[in-house]
Amino acid sequence: MGRAARPRDPPSLPLMIKPALSLLLCGLVFLAGCGRAPEAARDAGGGGKRLTVALLPKSKGNAYFISCRAGAEKAARALGVELLFDGPTDTDPAKQNEIIENWITLGVDVIAAACENREGISTALRKAQARGIKVITYDADALPDARAFFVNQATPEGIGHTLMDEAARLTNAEGEFAVILSTLTASNMQEWLKHIRARLAEKYPKMKLVAVRPCDDQKDKAQAEATTLMSAHPNLRLLMNICSPAVPGAAEAVKQAGKAGQVKVIGLGLPNENRRYVKDGVTDSVILWKTEDLGALTVEAAVALARGALQPGATTFRTAAGASYEVKGDQILLGQPFIFNRANIDQFNF
Amino acid sequence: MKAWPRELSVGLALAALLAALAAFAPGFFAPQPLLSLAAREAPVLLVACGAAMVIVCRQIDISSGSQFAVVSVVAGLLAAEGWPPAAVATAALALGTALGALNGFLVAGLGLPSIVVTLATMVTWREGLRWWRQGAFVNLPDGLQWLGLGQTAGQWTLLATALALLTLLALAARHLAAGRHLYAVGSDAEAARLAGIRPGAVTFGAFTAAGALTALAALMNVIQSPQVDPKSGTGLELKAIAAVVVGGVAIAGGRGRLAGVLLGLLLLATVGPALTHLRIEAHWEKAIQGAIILLAVAAEGARRRPA
Amino acid sequence: MSPSPTVPRPALRHETVLLAVVVLEWLCFHALGPRFGTLENSFDLLRHSAEIGLLALAMTPVILTGGIDLSVGSLLGLCAVLFGKLWRDAGLDPAAAAGCTLVLGALAGGLNATLIAGLRLPPLIVTLGTYSLFRGLAEAITRGADTFTNFPSAFLFLGQERWLGLPTQAWLFAAVAIAVWLLVHRTTFGRACRAQGFAPEGARYAGLPAGRQLAAVYVLSGTIAALAAVIYTARLGQARADAGTGYELLAITAVVLGGTSIFGGRGSVHGTLLGVAALAILNNGLVHARQPREVAGLLTGALLLLALAAGTGPKLWAARRARATPPPSP
């Protein structure tokens, strides 16, 4: 910034301008808040109040959670509850806690959280439970004592094993592979990586994990990382991408390097972002669950919990829409992850 | 002794890094991956040129990453709507220029400090884009990638365009009146004004040009892949500013060369891939990058100290 | 023409305008969110703004000298990790670990100070380097993955409980705020900082020990960042290498919103506190008004520009008028 030329101070100030501008400023703040005023008023109304479910994604602006939200909104409409969807716009781990604490004060009825960091968020979720707010988790669990149920789309173990087994299948269980993840500090990434490494050590002695690189959740950076990985490790057989923007990024890098088929690409991602590469045969398989169903099931479970229809000890959970899900202990199981490949990817649009 | 001081230390650091790579990881110099990497850094070079102009003018622009994302997404959406590439490019450049001009107007016209203005526009564009698009990728039509040139030719074209622009800008900075005005205003706005230069107009011009360069960079990035990620460009402003200041452009304005910026960017862009090639684990990367920035600038500071 | 700072009438001070903004924000959100005005929410506000508030307090003297410290967010992350390491792996009890962390934070600030005051390097570049270096060290120490948790409840008291009716960290925050206010507004040190920011050459000719002052400001910033790291760890009950990501920009936003000139020389600690309050209320209130978080970002940008325009616009206008009418004397 340096010390740029400072505008010289005039000897006097016109008196009226500052207050006028500050009024304008306040007006703006006021207007921004006014958009949804009727809802807030209704909330204050008390009697006959609609149930409010607050759905917390790990971060905003992420295609995965947009898809979850779409399912959640459908379910909320069908059940006649109000859905709040909000989450952090940056990666600082404290932000999720702040939103939850705000929701506690706001007095929502159920909080459904996808936890960015297990221990940290549990502090806030326990506080919510202590105030009588029902808490469930989805996508990534908190500590078990901080929530009633976890809507489990796939355990970290399941994801890690599925990815590693798929990698082994594609490379005949031998050779070098590398992992691209979102950031080194994201706890779900580390959790999955731990299970990938465990499975590798246990079952595939001829395979070798040569590098783990972060892509900051950006497709462009993933592409650059994949390009470098392929030139640094000429014997690389497979790129495993465990965050969704990395899958198309790595696929584009492999395509540009002319190594389609020679370096396999797999990962966790959404069908729409990868369709082109799966069809071209660059990306071999993309693993994911039905995200809309996850969002819908989460809202269904949240509402059932709040209305007392879902009690601890249940073994099945029947949704208002009629679907039935298995409950194992305190986990509601969405079902097995899907493996999207060239044969079936056209059946899915999300 | 004073000739090219920072460029020299940055050049030496780069040479040392390349020597280490040549000794321990010659695979780094394989032509095809290197070309791909270079083509990926070409847009960053343009953003860094824009940042350099703004910094020479004694201002700063931290909104370029957000501008980059907005222009990328808008260009992508227009292309997906079926606009011909030339029209997309024109619209994108116009948008980038307008975003830059807005910064320029707020800084030069209203006299607001540039770091605050661009902090505000950075947050506004980034959050606005997130609100509008919710993070969804934009799928581009098939013919757009490499503008139909094919990959290798496309990559060379991008690289050549970026380097040609850099050369033109460097020549303009030395020999054109507008270029000299930039340095004059950055050195001493009041003296420049007394010399008949309009500092406001020059500052406005620097921001506008930076906006246009950012838009061009965004276009050059968009045509390298068939999808646009709305998060693209996150942190780009810091990368560009780091390249500029490591390359010897004085943050207090009025001094610096684009050749230094090129060296600075080459150094910073080489560190990441070099660490992968040297088999250093990723969690060391940021620390090493920070240490290199500090060493590059501290070397100069230590030498400048009176004996 | 001497750049003598004009002293506007009290009613027109930037701080007064900002106070009005804060009050109006409060009233607006009070009308919109039925639970916004509750005591509990006020405590949330205090808890959520303590760390950023501390960093903004630390940033104020830095910016007053005409410098900037981009490394505070990264240093918060590094100190959180070091604190966890000292407690869990070195076996120190939390109080001792916190003490050591403060010392380490001061040392990290000392690195900035050495490069900026000792080698006379521009603060922006130096702290851009340490921004990367400190975060990188935090990642290297934990290999990215290690998370420190299960802190004893006596330590968590600092971040999650109340003491004498207020959230515990609010007391610490208040103490630091008062100390920094006194330092900036009531000591020769503070006056020297402003002098330094206003006219570094002039300050030097006036015989002020510019180097030592500058160094002290960055060491202070490092120490306060370490304190923020301890509070942050206590509030979340966990320490990880990504703690405090992006906090430097939030702190700078609060400081410049508070009316401190980014070129140094002008500004106040109470302005910074109001800036912190304005941003915290905006972020919190929009949740109560049921608006998505992006809106908070958008409004922060608008608030910054308007608050600055409110300060500069009239001057510009006056300058124009002054230029139109010839000055009374050369």
Side-chain angles (χ1 to χ4, degrees), chain A residues 131-338:
Chain A
R131 304 288 167 86
I133 296 171
K134 304 283 183 195
V135 175
I136 63 170
T137 53
Y138 72 103
D139 187 61
D141 202 3
L143 295 174
D145 68 312
R147 47 78 181 159
F149 284 95
F150 170 43
V151 180
N152 189 340
Q153 81 285 16
T155 56
E157 198 176 19
I159 294 170
H161 288 186
T162 310
L163 279 166
M164 195 60 231
D165 293 346
E166 186 68 10
R169 184 181 71 78
L170 288 166
T171 58
N172 296 322
E174 56 182 26
E176 298 181 345
F177 73 104
V179 169
I180 297 179
L181 40 64
S182 66
T183 60
L184 290 171
T185 44
S187 55
N188 59 336
M189 295 289 145
Q190 289 295 344
E191 188 99 349
W192 294 340
L193 198 56
K194 191 177 82 192
H195 291 290
I196 289 168
R197 284 198 162 114
R199 186 72 160 185
L200 174 68
E202 174 198 347
K203 284 194 73 174
Y204 307 111
K206 284 188 187 158
M207 292 184 76
K208 190 173 171 230
L209 175 58
V210 290
V212 177
R213 304 289 305 173
C215 74
D216 298 342
D217 253 332
Q218 291 181 46
K219 181 184 73 81
D220 294 345
K221 178 134 194 268
Q223 190 179 332
E225 291 291 350
T227 306
T228 311
L229 280 169
M230 282 183 287
S231 82
H233 303 276
N235 297 324
L236 199 70
R237 298 281 308 277
L238 178 132
L239 284 164
M240 185 189 286
N241 308 284
I242 59 176
C243 67
S244 64
V247 194
E252 182 63 27
V254 168
K255 192 176 129 201
Q256 290 190 13
K259 291 190 171 180
Q262 187 185 339
V263 176
K264 313 275 186 188
V265 178
I266 64 169
L268 294 173
L270 297 154
N272 281 353
E273 287 173 0
N274 295 291
R275 191 178 314 278
R276 164 189 324 246
Y277 298 108
V278 171
K279 285 188 163 177
D280 287 354
V282 181
T283 301
D284 294 275
S285 38
V286 184
I287 295 158
L288 201 67
W289 35 94
K290 290 184 178 167
T291 42
E292 283 206 17
D293 290 0
L294 175 61
L297 176 58
T298 304
V299 169
E300 293 263 10
V303 171
L305 185 69
R307 290 180 177 158
L310 177 63
Q311 298 281 352
T315 54
T316 54
F317 171 57
R318 184 167 287 279
T319 65
S324 178
Y325 292 94
E326 188 188 349
V327 181
K328 216 177 208 173
D330 53 7
Q331 305 200 349
I332 304 166
L333 305 181
L334 182 72
Q336 288 301 308
F338 262 70

Side-chain angles (χ1 to χ4, degrees), chain B residues 154-166:
Chain B
Q155 285 173 337
W156 279 114
T157 311
L158 290 181
L159 206 54
T161 311
L163 288 175
L165 259 172
L166 176 87

Side-chain angles (χ1 to χ4, degrees), chain C residues 310-324:
Chain C
T312 323
K315 278 185 213 159
L316 208 70
W317 196 45
R320 290 259 160 84
R321 281 208 314 193
R323 212 177 291 163

Side-chain angles (χ1 to χ4, degrees), chain A residues 84-99:
Chain A
L84 282 180
F85 176 89
D86 208 1
T89 50
D90 48 28
T91 55
D92 180 64
K95 289 290 184 294
Q96 279 202 320
N97 284 42
E98 288 165 20
I99 294 171

Side-chain angles (χ1 to χ4, degrees), chain A residues 75-130:
Chain A
R77 261 197 308 276
L79 293 165
V81 299
E82 188 183 348
L83 182 73
L84 282 180
F85 176 89
D86 208 1
T89 50
D90 48 28
T91 55
D92 180 64
K95 289 290 184 294
Q96 279 202 320
N97 284 42
E98 288 165 20
I99 294 171
I100 290 175
E101 284 171 6
N102 282 336
W103 280 341
I104 295 173
T105 315
L106 191 59
V108 300
D109 300 294
V110 198
I111 291 175
C115 308
E116 171 71 33
N117 59 108
R118 176 188 282 261
E119 290 85 5
I121 202 171
S122 298
T123 311
L125 292 179
R126 278 190 210 105
K127 190 173 154 193
Q129 283 186 319

